Amino acid sequence: MEPSAPRRRVTIVDVARHAQVSTTAVSKVLRNAYGASPEMRSKVRRAIDELGYRPHAGARGMRGQTYTIGVMLPDIRNPFFPEVLDGITHALEDTEYQVLLGPGCNGEKAEARVTEAMIDRGMDALILIAPVSRRDHLESVAGAVPTVVVGRHGSSPVYDTVVNDDVEGACLVVGHLVGLGHRRIAHIDHLETDPTRLAEMPNARRADGYRQAMRAHGLAASIDVVSTSYTQEGGYLGAKQLLDRPLRPTAVFAGADVVAMGVLEAVAEAGLSVPGDISVAGYDNTAFAALGPISLSSVDQAGHEIGSNAARLVQDRIADRSRPSVQVRLSPALVPRRTTGRPPAAACDGSA
Amino acid sequence: MEPSAPRRRVTIVDVARHAQVSTTAVSKVLRNAYGASPEMRSKVRRAIDELGYRPHAGARGMRGQTYTIGVMLPDIRNPFFPEVLDGITHALEDTEYQVLLGPGCNGEKAEARVTEAMIDRGMDALILIAPVSRRDHLESVAGAVPTVVVGRHGSSPVYDTVVNDDVEGACLVVGHLVGLGHRRIAHIDHLETDPTRLAEMPNARRADGYRQAMRAHGLAASIDVVSTSYTQEGGYLGAKQLLDRPLRPTAVFAGADVVAMGVLEAVAEAGLSVPGDISVAGYDNTAFAALGPISLSSVDQAGHEIGSNAARLVQDRIADRSRPSVQVRLSPALVPRRTTGRPPAAACDGSA
DNA sequence: TTGAAAGCGCTAACAG
DNA sequence: CTGTTAGCGCTTTCAA
């Protein structure tokens, strides 16, 4: 037995014939549109069930909608994104919409390819998660199809946004560390040069929040930011630099959990203990932060909420494309764990 | 400025008019089809560039292909899948095909929804990664669209498969532990009751491999399998049981890295050290297994190869639907790290 | 080699 | 409330 010739799909014409009605009638029932009597509806529904009919989304898309929402993720490996995705799919699972994901894209070119592919496939709306593309590209996408941008600050009249308050999150971390008695608190940031991104990307906001909080606590003189990248390696390299300082920081606030992992690696390599010799905090509260052997203090962004908000906004905008754009900002929460503690006694006079 | 009325898309008609040719000619150029002179081709290509034309995949799908390949992932959180996905997208990135992912599906119902959605959207082929659906559903999917099933043993005439040799992988782990001097080696499996899945799912094969290897090393009497689930919690609960044994195992082979994480958690909680008191090995060689503070011994499945093979098979089958089905099996490799070591001296007489 | 014309499956506009 | 008709943007005959 070899793969049989693909049997012809059941179409709306088959259903119409089987139910003894017009294709228009079937179409109306499919879309719950106005203008079909109850008995007509039930007759059509029965035919649909009997024939096992499912509409062809591509064909629907030629005139109306495809009932498909595209979600673009920058990096599948970042364990924060699944949370957001769950929030989206969960909010959409009782609707007719189907979510499809673009595969991990690194960089503007890959993002452009994926967004274009989604537009070309007639998706009804797009949710872009932490895109790195320039603002004008995002706006051109939003011009073609209803778009919600997640995890990027700065608003646009053409797309809606959902963000986490990264400044507040950073303040929470600094406050927590100061409360434990730390004064020499360093921060590892993702190096950013592009001016728009510097204003809109979460990493820049976290660094800002760090600086603000340090000043607010009277620690302006101790501000110490190392810019590497939001990767494990970036954390490792950043920590190396910090550990070489003549006056070593007693705490490191890594801009992301992955970064914190790299920091922990470097700290272990230097023969120092956490949090005995140095405290480490991350951001994102990813699944592995909670893992027993790691137990990383972090900041929870409520990824699920972010996702469900994005799903709501996207549906609202499909319903009314000319509605003014909406910005949703969610508050993060500190999740203290075992990598943060009181600074070593000897360090207390550091800034005294 | 509110979202402007979406400007009309450039269509093949616009291109044809601009290049002063027929739409048929444009279509031929798009598909590199036979029957267009070089000068015609260049004329059309120029028009395409000048107008920024991109074909509408949905419309193409009505007669021909959509140039879209659907990939279904069971669980986005499992860090093994991104590897496979990378292999797929990398192999496909220089082709006209675009990869779209179905969101994480747990269970047969969610899988059915996603596969149907992909078929309804006219995808040219599907790659199903570690699906849990019953065999007949997989075959019905494969009957509708070219399909490659990844990570599931057992062959079918209607779909191609790519698997890792899970039996061999399990043998590698047991051999490694035996070589270090372990005899009481326990295994944590994913509980499986469905008979097809018991024969086809990787977890069952790993458990089989474990048993085979134990017997081959003359350790049949020490075979000890706990069945929980392939999650961190499953590992935690399984380890709890194992640590309560009157004669505690000196090594635990967890069926997956996530499971091993749960084991490490339980072991830490019990105040035992790894590998001093107990060795732990995982399977999948996921990114966090390599993390410094964890450094988990594991088995590498060459996810990237698996993905590129799947991509190749899928293209071959699009080209020839009636070709006999192909099974690809790849060999795993052991990656020893710091969670496995010699058993504690006191335990050596355990089986003497 | 070229292009006119007929659909693919569906929805929108309109007439009965 | 119902059905007829004309497309959506593309590919595929098939004639020229």
Side-chain angles (χ1 to χ4, degrees):
Chain A
M1 157 183 169
E2 67 241 3
S4 54
R7 52 200 173 294
R8 200 179 64 79
R9 248 184 106 95
V10 177
T11 75
I12 202 173
V13 177
D14 301 315
V15 176
R17 193 158 33 210
H18 191 252
Q20 314 253 46
V21 299
S22 70
T23 58
T24 307
V26 180
S27 176
K28 280 178 176 159
V29 174
L30 285 178
R31 290 173 293 118
N32 286 314
Y34 173 82
S37 61
E39 55 265 48
M40 162 131 276
R41 286 190 190 289
S42 64
K43 203 161 47 166
V44 169
R45 276 198 230 287
R46 187 152 10 95
I48 287 177
D49 289 342
E50 285 175 11
L51 298 177
Y53 167 75
R54 297 199 314 264
H56 184 300
R60 301 182 89 170
M62 303 234 49
R63 300 291 302 201
Q65 306 185 39
T66 58
Y67 299 93
T68 311
I69 290 174
V71 174
M72 189 183 77
L73 295 173
D75 174 19
I76 278 233
R77 267 166 250 271
N78 185 327
F80 167 61
F81 298 124
E83 307 285 314
V84 179
L85 189 61
D86 270 359
I88 295 173
T89 50
H90 186 254
L92 251 25
E93 79 187 350
D94 292 325
T95 72
E96 294 198 274
Y97 291 100
Q98 172 66 40
V99 171
L100 289 180
L101 309 182
C105 345
N106 299 305
E108 307 203 32
K109 258 182 89 177
E111 285 191 4
R113 174 172 173 165
V114 170
T115 49
E116 287 180 354
M118 289 179 160
I119 293 170
D120 296 346
R121 277 151 190 80
M123 304 226 171
D124 297 333
L126 261 42
I127 297 176
L128 309 181
I129 301 184
V132 299
S133 294
R134 284 186 0 214
R135 175 78 163 264
D136 55 353
H137 179 252
L138 299 182
E139 298 199 324
S140 93
V141 168
V145 55
T147 301
V148 174
V149 174
V150 172
R152 181 142 158 173
H153 298 260
S155 69
S156 161
V158 292
Y159 55 76
D160 302 311
T161 57
V162 184
V163 291
N164 160 257
D165 192 333
D166 293 288
V167 171
E168 187 187 337
C171 290
L172 288 173
V173 172
V174 172
H176 167 64
L177 292 168
V178 169
L180 287 167
H182 293 272
R183 320 205 75 52
R184 292 199 305 281
I185 303 167
H187 176 58
I188 300 180
D189 181 24
H190 178 90
L191 179 64
E192 193 69 81
T193 51
D194 179 274
T196 357
R197 291 217 288 265
L198 206 46
E200 300 192 348
M201 297 299 284
N203 48 297
R205 293 303 181 104
R206 290 174 196 172
D208 276 354
Y210 159 79
R211 289 193 193 87
Q212 282 179 31
M214 289 295 277
R215 273 185 232 109
H217 287 287
L219 298 173
S222 304
I223 287 176
D224 185 1
V225 178
V226 175
S227 289
T228 57
S229 74
Y230 269 21
T231 60
Q232 198 188 336
E233 199 195 355
Y236 179 84
L237 296 174
K240 283 282 205 192
Q241 284 185 48
L242 290 171
L243 295 176
D244 277 349
R245 295 266 194 271
L247 209 55
R248 205 171 62 208
T250 63
V252 177
F253 164 33
D257 284 355
V258 271
V259 178
M261 292 306 306
V263 175
L264 290 177
E265 201 178 342
V267 169
E269 214 175 276
L272 298 171
S273 79
V274 173
D277 295 314
I278 190 163
S279 285
V280 178
Y283 202 113
D284 287 344
N285 192 29
T286 49
F288 68 71
L291 290 180
I294 296 184
S295 191
L296 177 72
S297 296
S298 191
V299 176
D300 194 304
Q301 293 197 52
H304 198 274
E305 306 295 297
I306 291 180
S308 58
N309 271 281
R312 186 174 49 75
L313 290 181
V314 106
Q315 290 180 88
D316 290 352
R317 184 154 294 281
I318 288 173
D320 177 7
R321 285 205 54 147
S322 63
R323 174 197 72 160
S325 74
V326 175
Q327 286 76 44
V328 173
R329 170 180 311 201
L330 298 166
S331 286
L334 183 76
V335 184
R337 292 203 184 85
R338 293 201 299 270
T339 56
T340 49
R342 300 191 64 75
C348 285
D349 58 342
S351 65
Chain B
M1 160 182 166
E2 66 243 2
S4 54
R7 55 200 172 294
R8 200 180 64 78
R9 249 185 103 94
V10 178
T11 74
I12 202 174
V13 178
D14 301 315
V15 176
R17 193 159 33 214
H18 192 254
Q20 314 253 47
V21 298
S22 69
T23 59
T24 309
V26 179
S27 176
K28 279 176 179 161
V29 174
L30 286 177
R31 291 172 293 116
N32 287 313
Y34 173 82
S37 62
E39 55 267 45
M40 163 133 276
R41 286 190 190 290
S42 64
K43 200 159 52 168
V44 169
R45 277 198 230 286
R46 187 151 10 95
I48 288 177
D49 289 342
E50 285 174 15
L51 297 177
Y53 167 75
R54 297 197 314 263
H56 185 300
R60 301 184 90 172
M62 304 232 50
R63 301 289 302 204
Q65 306 185 39
T66 57
Y67 299 92
T68 312
I69 289 173
V71 175
M72 188 183 79
L73 294 173
D75 174 19
I76 278 235
R77 264 166 253 272
N78 185 327
F80 166 60
F81 297 125
E83 307 285 315
V84 179
L85 190 60
D86 271 359
I88 295 172
T89 49
H90 186 254
L92 252 24
E93 82 188 349
D94 291 325
T95 71
E96 295 197 273
Y97 291 99
Q98 172 65 41
V99 172
L100 289 179
L101 310 182
C105 348
N106 298 306
E108 308 202 33
K109 258 181 88 177
E111 286 191 2
R113 174 171 173 167
V114 170
T115 51
E116 287 180 355
M118 289 180 159
I119 293 171
D120 296 347
R121 278 151 188 79
M123 305 225 169
D124 297 332
L126 261 42
I127 296 176
L128 309 180
I129 301 184
V132 299
S133 295
R134 284 184 2 209
R135 175 80 163 261
D136 56 352
H137 179 252
L138 299 183
E139 297 199 326
S140 92
V141 168
V145 56
T147 301
V148 174
V149 174
V150 172
R152 183 144 156 173
H153 298 260
S155 69
S156 160
V158 292
Y159 55 75
D160 303 310
T161 58
V162 183
V163 292
N164 160 256
D165 192 333
D166 292 289
V167 171
E168 187 188 336
C171 290
L172 288 174
V173 172
V174 172
H176 168 63
L177 292 169
V178 169
L180 286 168
H182 293 273
R183 322 208 70 53
R184 291 199 308 281
I185 303 167
H187 176 58
I188 300 180
D189 181 24
H190 178 88
L191 180 64
E192 194 67 81
T193 51
D194 179 274
T196 357
R197 291 217 288 264
L198 206 46
E200 299 191 349
M201 298 298 284
N203 48 299
R205 293 303 181 103
R206 290 174 196 172
D208 277 354
Y210 160 78
R211 289 193 193 88
Q212 281 178 32
M214 290 295 276
R215 274 186 232 108
H217 287 288
L219 298 173
S222 304
I223 288 176
D224 186 1
V225 178
V226 175
S227 289
T228 58
S229 74
Y230 270 19
T231 60
Q232 197 188 338
E233 199 195 355
Y236 179 84
L237 296 173
K240 283 281 207 194
Q241 283 185 47
L242 290 172
L243 296 178
D244 277 350
R245 296 264 194 273
L247 207 56
R248 208 170 61 207
T250 61
V252 176
F253 164 33
D257 284 355
V258 269
V259 177
M261 292 306 306
V263 174
L264 291 176
E265 200 177 343
V267 168
E269 214 175 278
L272 298 171
S273 78
V274 173
D277 296 314
I278 190 164
S279 285
V280 178
Y283 202 112
D284 287 346
N285 192 30
T286 49
F288 66 71
L291 290 181
I294 296 185
S295 190
L296 177 70
S297 297
S298 191
V299 176
D300 194 303
Q301 293 195 55
H304 199 275
E305 306 295 295
I306 291 180
S308 58
N309 271 280
R312 185 174 49 77
L313 290 181
V314 106
Q315 291 181 87
D316 290 352
R317 184 155 291 283
I318 288 174
D320 177 8
R321 284 204 56 147
S322 63
R323 176 196 71 160
S325 74
V326 175
Q327 287 77 43
V328 173
R329 170 181 308 201
L330 297 167
S331 287
L334 183 75
V335 184
R337 292 201 184 85
R338 293 201 301 268
T339 56
T340 49
R342 303 193 60 78
C348 285
D349 58 341
S351 63

